[in-house]
Amino acid sequence: MHRFGCVYWIIFLLHRASCYHDYYYNYTLDPVSRQLEEFRAEHPRPIGLLTTSSGEPVEIRDTVTLNTEIFNRNFHTELTSHADRERIQERLVHAKGVGAYGYFEVTNDVSKYTKADVFNGIGKKTPLVGRFSTSIQNLGGPELSRTLKGLAMKMYTKEGNLDFLCLQPRVYLYKDPVMFVPIVRSFRRNPRTNLFDFNMVWDYVSNRPQTLHALLWLQSDVGIPNGYRKMNVFPAHTYEIYNKHGDRYYVKFNFISEQGQDNLTNAQAMVISAMDQDYYSRDLYNAIAEKKYPAWRLEMDVMSLSDIKNIDYDPFDITRLWKEGTYHTIVVGRVVINRRVENNFKDNEQAAYNPANLVPGISGPQDFIFKARRMFYPDTQNYRLGVNHNKIEVNMPRYERTYNRDGVPPLRDNMKDAPNYYPNTFNGPVPYVEECRPKESLLILENQTEDLEPSNYFYHNVLENDAHRQRVTDNIASSLQNVVPSVLKKTLRVLTLTSTDLGRRVRSSLKALRAAAAKMDTAERYRRLAQCFEMNMNPKY
Ligand code: HEM
Ligand SMILES: *[C@@H]1O[C@H](CO)[C@@H](O)[C@H](O)[C@H]1NC(C)=O
Ligand SMILES: *[C@@H]1O[C@H](CO)[C@@H](O)[C@H](O)[C@H]1NC(C)=O
Ligand SMILES: *[C@@H]1O[C@H](CO)[C@@H](O)[C@H](O)[C@H]1NC(C)=O
């Protein structure tokens, strides 16, 4: 027995030694894994005395409850009741995201087009907060799926917050805002199976083929970027802007990645996702920690008021691209992301990006989608964060004086003793006068028809070669493998009407996939499907 114990100890010690060897031998942890170590290095001693939330110092015996009057001490009761209540509702869409701070810098003079202070004066820097997100997954979901990716930015300008909410395709899914809810539902979990279901996706898309254009972008190489740093993003709408003389211009903003665009195939994304569902968030955190600050060039595609009135297509239709040769592009500046959020919940979860947050010189888009968004972002944020969401630190503008009072905290100073009604003769805050603000806005009426031409153009002209067209059609085909015949028939019809080549390629790719699947035993087929749906993407058999 004794001898056995001795051998055991020797093995144990050798084991310990080799462990330390493995752990410490010339091995550098990534910044994500060093975060707590860095905290301790900055704070060589405990950061203070532990208290309850009311400030009562906590005595060490109150940190255990066994054999005590357990509800007699605030430390334990407060700890657990706080956790019982600490979840708030996640965002309806774009729930999973990562936040970071940075700045916008003007690199080109655009005062000819807009009087917006933030865009005028070469070298001027404006602080901003940003949020990179994936649109369909819930708060804990994988980031690499083939869904819309977002980058929302809030620039803290001298004239109030200017928010840009951008997505990675240049075009959006639909032009009638009433389509938002049904399309979101069809892209998410089936209410009975609680699983992603391509029957719902293709049923909806084939009923409303205007959605196909943005979906083709998603099925193309840019659909799964190799990191949030490596994607271009677009607010998509046509914005109305004006200069100090009141001349109006119509622009599309483009944020072009200075890191270059890089893409993952389904196969690559699945390998990464199997090891790391948070690949994008980790990549961003580590890049900033290593001072590889990602940056985006802000460009503006411009048309004048007369240009806009003399073109043969609808430039306000968010589901289509502006035609080449009808506009010119100028650089405005660059966005640099250089600081990680201090605390995720405080600076990222509580952030409320609202496309209606605009500044003088940018009157904003006039299309129906934007009009709806002006209403529904603050609506959902009132529900998610409360009516005082702009008084949460991350959302606070540099300057603000309103006639709103009270409500669910935070309240800041609640405007103290100032008059609370407008107009008044007691020197409460007063509005300003802006002579140059355009007296009228374009009234835009949009065409109800389902136009397949933009999708056809994308397929034949934006996709640069047949190899890329084949990748797109393979991706579509694999998502159609388990779609029921009625939906499949309808979908193939829409794809063929869009382009006979698209229809033909999807049909033949689908035939090959189904033939391969038929040879697999059921267990293997189900195993692959399970992966495919979990990712909301379509692995190739
Ligand atoms: C009718 C059309 C649309 C509706 C009703 C809608 C609705 C929403 C809602 C409810 C949220 C969650 C907001 C929150 O909880 O704070 C959201 C987030 C977002 N939307 Fe939209 N959306 C629409 C179109 C668009 C378009 C056209 C774009 C950009 C081209 C866009 C980009 C984004 C982005 C980037 C986020 C994430 C914001 C964040 O990170 O907090 N959306 N949208
Ligand atoms: C330790 O790491 C450094 C930096 O990566 C490398 O240059 C060096 O060769 C490594 N040393 C050994 C013994 O592996
Ligand atoms: C990613 O895809 C886009 C669009 O096809 C292409 O322009 C870009 O070069 C690709 N990036 C890489 C690194 O292949
Ligand atoms: C609506 O769009 C269709 C298809 O592009 C076109 O044929 C028709 O002329 C348009 N109607 C109007 C009023 O612009």
Side-chain angles (χ1 to χ4, degrees), residues 104-139:
F104 172 76
E105 180 173 9
V106 180
T107 59
N108 189 26
D109 181 30
V110 293
S111 53
K112 181 178 164 209
Y113 304 103
T114 175
K115 71 186 282 279
D117 177 74
V118 58
F119 290 159
N120 284 304
I122 293 178
K124 183 185 289 170
K125 287 187 180 173
T126 301
L128 63 82
V129 62
R131 184 170 182 275
F132 302 81
S133 58
T134 181
S135 57
I136 293 297
Q137 298 293 343
N138 291 89
L139 197 52

Short mmCIF file of all heavy atoms in Angstrom, two decimals, residues 104-139:
data_model
loop_
_atom_site.label_atom_id
_atom_site.label_comp_id
_atom_site.label_asym_id
_atom_site.label_seq_id
_atom_site.Cartn_x
_atom_site.Cartn_y
_atom_site.Cartn_z
N PHE A 104 -15.52 58.98 -36.24
CA PHE A 104 -15.63 59.27 -37.66
C PHE A 104 -14.75 60.46 -37.96
O PHE A 104 -14.75 61.44 -37.21
CB PHE A 104 -17.09 59.58 -38.04
CG PHE A 104 -17.22 60.07 -39.44
CD1 PHE A 104 -17.14 59.19 -40.50
CD2 PHE A 104 -17.37 61.43 -39.71
CE1 PHE A 104 -17.21 59.64 -41.81
CE2 PHE A 104 -17.45 61.89 -41.02
CZ PHE A 104 -17.36 60.98 -42.07
N GLU A 105 -13.98 60.41 -39.04
CA GLU A 105 -13.12 61.53 -39.41
C GLU A 105 -13.42 61.98 -40.83
O GLU A 105 -13.49 61.15 -41.75
CB GLU A 105 -11.65 61.09 -39.31
CG GLU A 105 -10.71 62.22 -39.68
CD GLU A 105 -9.24 61.88 -39.43
OE1 GLU A 105 -8.92 60.71 -39.15
OE2 GLU A 105 -8.42 62.81 -39.54
N VAL A 106 -13.62 63.28 -40.99
CA VAL A 106 -13.87 63.83 -42.33
C VAL A 106 -12.57 63.85 -43.11
O VAL A 106 -11.55 64.33 -42.62
CB VAL A 106 -14.42 65.27 -42.22
CG1 VAL A 106 -14.69 65.85 -43.60
CG2 VAL A 106 -15.69 65.30 -41.38
N THR A 107 -12.59 63.32 -44.36
CA THR A 107 -11.38 63.37 -45.19
C THR A 107 -11.61 64.15 -46.47
O THR A 107 -10.69 64.35 -47.25
CB THR A 107 -10.88 61.95 -45.56
OG1 THR A 107 -11.93 61.28 -46.29
CG2 THR A 107 -10.51 61.14 -44.34
N ASN A 108 -12.85 64.56 -46.72
CA ASN A 108 -13.14 65.28 -47.95
C ASN A 108 -14.24 66.30 -47.68
O ASN A 108 -15.14 66.05 -46.88
CB ASN A 108 -13.60 64.27 -49.01
CG ASN A 108 -13.71 64.90 -50.37
OD1 ASN A 108 -13.03 65.89 -50.67
ND2 ASN A 108 -14.58 64.35 -51.20
N ASP A 109 -14.15 67.46 -48.35
CA ASP A 109 -15.12 68.51 -48.10
C ASP A 109 -16.41 68.27 -48.89
O ASP A 109 -16.38 68.26 -50.12
CB ASP A 109 -14.50 69.86 -48.52
CG ASP A 109 -15.45 71.00 -48.25
OD1 ASP A 109 -16.25 70.88 -47.30
OD2 ASP A 109 -15.42 71.99 -49.00
N VAL A 110 -17.51 68.04 -48.21
CA VAL A 110 -18.77 67.78 -48.90
C VAL A 110 -19.82 68.86 -48.58
O VAL A 110 -21.02 68.63 -48.71
CB VAL A 110 -19.33 66.36 -48.56
CG1 VAL A 110 -18.44 65.27 -49.12
CG2 VAL A 110 -19.54 66.19 -47.07
N SER A 111 -19.34 70.07 -48.19
CA SER A 111 -20.28 71.13 -47.81
C SER A 111 -21.15 71.55 -48.99
O SER A 111 -22.22 72.12 -48.81
CB SER A 111 -19.53 72.33 -47.24
OG SER A 111 -18.53 72.73 -48.15
N LYS A 112 -20.69 71.26 -50.21
CA LYS A 112 -21.50 71.54 -51.40
C LYS A 112 -22.84 70.77 -51.34
O LYS A 112 -23.84 71.22 -51.87
CB LYS A 112 -20.69 71.09 -52.62
CG LYS A 112 -21.38 71.34 -53.92
CD LYS A 112 -20.51 70.93 -55.11
CE LYS A 112 -21.40 70.83 -56.33
NZ LYS A 112 -20.93 69.86 -57.31
N TYR A 113 -22.83 69.60 -50.69
CA TYR A 113 -24.02 68.74 -50.70
C TYR A 113 -24.82 68.79 -49.40
O TYR A 113 -26.02 68.63 -49.41
CB TYR A 113 -23.61 67.28 -50.96
CG TYR A 113 -22.84 67.12 -52.24
CD1 TYR A 113 -21.46 66.94 -52.23
CD2 TYR A 113 -23.50 67.17 -53.47
CE1 TYR A 113 -20.75 66.81 -53.41
CE2 TYR A 113 -22.79 67.04 -54.65
CZ TYR A 113 -21.42 66.86 -54.61
OH TYR A 113 -20.73 66.73 -55.78
N THR A 114 -24.11 68.95 -48.28
CA THR A 114 -24.85 68.95 -47.01
C THR A 114 -24.21 69.91 -46.03
O THR A 114 -22.98 70.04 -45.98
CB THR A 114 -24.92 67.53 -46.38
OG1 THR A 114 -25.54 67.66 -45.09
CG2 THR A 114 -23.56 66.89 -46.22
N LYS A 115 -25.09 70.58 -45.24
CA LYS A 115 -24.56 71.47 -44.22
C LYS A 115 -24.28 70.74 -42.91
O LYS A 115 -23.85 71.37 -41.93
CB LYS A 115 -25.56 72.62 -43.99
CG LYS A 115 -26.83 72.20 -43.28
CD LYS A 115 -27.84 73.34 -43.21
CE LYS A 115 -27.52 74.36 -42.13
NZ LYS A 115 -27.95 73.93 -40.79
N ALA A 116 -24.52 69.42 -42.88
CA ALA A 116 -24.34 68.67 -41.63
C ALA A 116 -22.94 68.93 -41.06
O ALA A 116 -21.94 68.70 -41.73
CB ALA A 116 -24.55 67.18 -41.87
N ASP A 117 -22.89 69.42 -39.84
CA ASP A 117 -21.62 69.78 -39.22
C ASP A 117 -20.65 68.59 -39.16
O ASP A 117 -19.46 68.72 -39.39
CB ASP A 117 -21.89 70.32 -37.81
CG ASP A 117 -20.62 70.65 -37.08
OD1 ASP A 117 -20.01 71.68 -37.43
OD2 ASP A 117 -20.20 69.88 -36.20
N VAL A 118 -21.22 67.39 -38.88
CA VAL A 118 -20.38 66.20 -38.70
C VAL A 118 -19.57 65.87 -39.96
O VAL A 118 -18.49 65.31 -39.88
CB VAL A 118 -21.26 65.00 -38.28
CG1 VAL A 118 -22.36 64.72 -39.30
CG2 VAL A 118 -20.44 63.74 -38.06
N PHE A 119 -20.08 66.27 -41.14
CA PHE A 119 -19.41 65.92 -42.39
C PHE A 119 -18.61 67.09 -42.96
O PHE A 119 -18.14 67.02 -44.10
CB PHE A 119 -20.44 65.45 -43.44
CG PHE A 119 -21.05 64.10 -43.13
CD1 PHE A 119 -22.27 63.72 -43.68
CD2 PHE A 119 -20.39 63.20 -42.30
CE1 PHE A 119 -22.82 62.48 -43.41
CE2 PHE A 119 -20.94 61.96 -42.01
CZ PHE A 119 -22.16 61.60 -42.56
N ASN A 120 -18.51 68.19 -42.20
CA ASN A 120 -17.80 69.35 -42.74
C ASN A 120 -16.57 69.71 -41.93
O ASN A 120 -16.61 69.70 -40.70
CB ASN A 120 -18.76 70.54 -42.84
CG ASN A 120 -19.68 70.38 -44.04
OD1 ASN A 120 -19.21 70.22 -45.16
ND2 ASN A 120 -20.97 70.37 -43.80
N GLY A 121 -15.49 70.06 -42.63
CA GLY A 121 -14.23 70.43 -41.98
C GLY A 121 -13.28 69.25 -42.00
O GLY A 121 -13.36 68.37 -41.13
N ILE A 122 -12.39 69.22 -42.99
CA ILE A 122 -11.46 68.09 -43.13
C ILE A 122 -10.68 67.92 -41.82
O ILE A 122 -10.22 68.90 -41.24
CB ILE A 122 -10.51 68.31 -44.33
CG1 ILE A 122 -11.35 68.23 -45.62
CG2 ILE A 122 -9.38 67.28 -44.36
CD1 ILE A 122 -10.59 68.48 -46.89
N GLY A 123 -10.59 66.68 -41.36
CA GLY A 123 -9.87 66.39 -40.13
C GLY A 123 -10.77 66.36 -38.89
O GLY A 123 -10.35 65.88 -37.83
N LYS A 124 -12.00 66.86 -39.02
CA LYS A 124 -12.89 66.85 -37.84
C LYS A 124 -13.22 65.42 -37.43
O LYS A 124 -13.56 64.59 -38.26
CB LYS A 124 -14.19 67.60 -38.17
CG LYS A 124 -15.13 67.69 -36.97
CD LYS A 124 -16.46 68.33 -37.32
CE LYS A 124 -16.28 69.81 -37.58
NZ LYS A 124 -17.50 70.41 -38.15
N LYS A 125 -13.10 65.16 -36.12
CA LYS A 125 -13.40 63.82 -35.61
C LYS A 125 -14.64 63.85 -34.72
O LYS A 125 -14.79 64.76 -33.91
CB LYS A 125 -12.22 63.29 -34.79
CG LYS A 125 -11.03 62.89 -35.63
CD LYS A 125 -9.97 62.21 -34.78
CE LYS A 125 -8.79 61.80 -35.64
NZ LYS A 125 -7.67 61.31 -34.84
N THR A 126 -15.50 62.88 -34.89
CA THR A 126 -16.72 62.77 -34.09
C THR A 126 -16.74 61.39 -33.44
O THR A 126 -16.62 60.39 -34.14
CB THR A 126 -17.96 62.94 -34.99
OG1 THR A 126 -17.88 64.21 -35.63
CG2 THR A 126 -19.24 62.85 -34.20
N PRO A 127 -16.87 61.34 -32.10
CA PRO A 127 -16.89 60.02 -31.46
C PRO A 127 -18.14 59.23 -31.83
O PRO A 127 -19.18 59.81 -32.13
CB PRO A 127 -16.89 60.34 -29.96
CG PRO A 127 -17.32 61.75 -29.85
CD PRO A 127 -17.02 62.45 -31.15
N LEU A 128 -18.03 57.91 -31.83
CA LEU A 128 -19.19 57.08 -32.15
C LEU A 128 -19.14 55.77 -31.40
O LEU A 128 -18.09 55.35 -30.91
CB LEU A 128 -19.29 56.83 -33.67
CG LEU A 128 -18.19 56.06 -34.38
CD1 LEU A 128 -18.36 54.55 -34.25
CD2 LEU A 128 -18.20 56.40 -35.87
N VAL A 129 -20.32 55.15 -31.30
CA VAL A 129 -20.39 53.78 -30.78
C VAL A 129 -20.98 52.93 -31.91
O VAL A 129 -21.80 53.41 -32.69
CB VAL A 129 -21.24 53.70 -29.49
CG1 VAL A 129 -22.68 54.11 -29.72
CG2 VAL A 129 -21.18 52.29 -28.89
N GLY A 130 -20.51 51.70 -32.01
CA GLY A 130 -20.99 50.82 -33.08
C GLY A 130 -21.43 49.48 -32.54
O GLY A 130 -21.06 49.07 -31.43
N ARG A 131 -22.25 48.82 -33.33
CA ARG A 131 -22.69 47.48 -32.94
C ARG A 131 -22.78 46.59 -34.18
O ARG A 131 -23.50 46.90 -35.12
CB ARG A 131 -24.04 47.53 -32.23
CG ARG A 131 -24.50 46.17 -31.72
CD ARG A 131 -25.73 46.31 -30.82
NE ARG A 131 -26.13 45.02 -30.30
CZ ARG A 131 -26.93 44.16 -30.93
NH1 ARG A 131 -27.44 44.48 -32.11
NH2 ARG A 131 -27.23 43.00 -30.40
N PHE A 132 -22.01 45.52 -34.17
CA PHE A 132 -22.01 44.55 -35.26
C PHE A 132 -22.95 43.43 -34.85
O PHE A 132 -22.90 42.95 -33.71
CB PHE A 132 -20.61 43.96 -35.44
CG PHE A 132 -19.55 44.99 -35.75
CD1 PHE A 132 -18.97 45.75 -34.74
CD2 PHE A 132 -19.13 45.20 -37.05
CE1 PHE A 132 -17.99 46.69 -35.02
CE2 PHE A 132 -18.15 46.13 -37.34
CZ PHE A 132 -17.58 46.88 -36.32
N SER A 133 -23.78 42.96 -35.79
CA SER A 133 -24.78 41.99 -35.37
C SER A 133 -25.10 41.00 -36.48
O SER A 133 -24.80 41.21 -37.65
CB SER A 133 -26.07 42.72 -34.97
OG SER A 133 -26.54 43.49 -36.06
N THR A 134 -25.71 39.89 -36.05
CA THR A 134 -26.25 38.94 -36.99
C THR A 134 -27.76 38.97 -36.79
O THR A 134 -28.24 39.11 -35.68
CB THR A 134 -25.60 37.55 -36.81
OG1 THR A 134 -26.15 36.67 -37.78
CG2 THR A 134 -25.82 36.97 -35.43
N SER A 135 -28.53 38.90 -37.90
CA SER A 135 -29.92 39.37 -37.82
C SER A 135 -30.93 38.34 -37.32
O SER A 135 -31.91 38.70 -36.68
CB SER A 135 -30.36 39.86 -39.20
OG SER A 135 -30.22 38.82 -40.15
N ILE A 136 -30.72 37.07 -37.62
CA ILE A 136 -31.79 36.11 -37.38
C ILE A 136 -31.63 35.35 -36.06
O ILE A 136 -32.59 35.00 -35.41
CB ILE A 136 -31.89 35.13 -38.58
CG1 ILE A 136 -32.37 35.90 -39.82
CG2 ILE A 136 -32.82 33.97 -38.29
CD1 ILE A 136 -33.75 36.50 -39.72
N GLN A 137 -30.40 35.08 -35.68
CA GLN A 137 -30.17 34.27 -34.48
C GLN A 137 -30.62 35.00 -33.21
O GLN A 137 -30.61 36.22 -33.15
CB GLN A 137 -28.68 33.94 -34.35
CG GLN A 137 -28.16 33.10 -35.50
CD GLN A 137 -28.74 31.70 -35.54
OE1 GLN A 137 -29.30 31.25 -34.55
NE2 GLN A 137 -28.63 31.04 -36.67
N ASN A 138 -30.95 34.21 -32.20
CA ASN A 138 -31.25 34.77 -30.89
C ASN A 138 -29.95 35.16 -30.19
O ASN A 138 -28.86 34.95 -30.69
CB ASN A 138 -32.03 33.77 -30.04
CG ASN A 138 -33.41 33.56 -30.60
OD1 ASN A 138 -33.61 32.70 -31.45
ND2 ASN A 138 -34.34 34.37 -30.17
N LEU A 139 -30.11 35.69 -28.98
CA LEU A 139 -28.98 36.25 -28.25
C LEU A 139 -27.80 35.28 -28.12
O LEU A 139 -26.65 35.67 -28.19
CB LEU A 139 -29.45 36.70 -26.87
CG LEU A 139 -28.56 37.65 -26.10
CD1 LEU A 139 -28.20 38.85 -26.92
CD2 LEU A 139 -29.26 38.08 -24.84
#
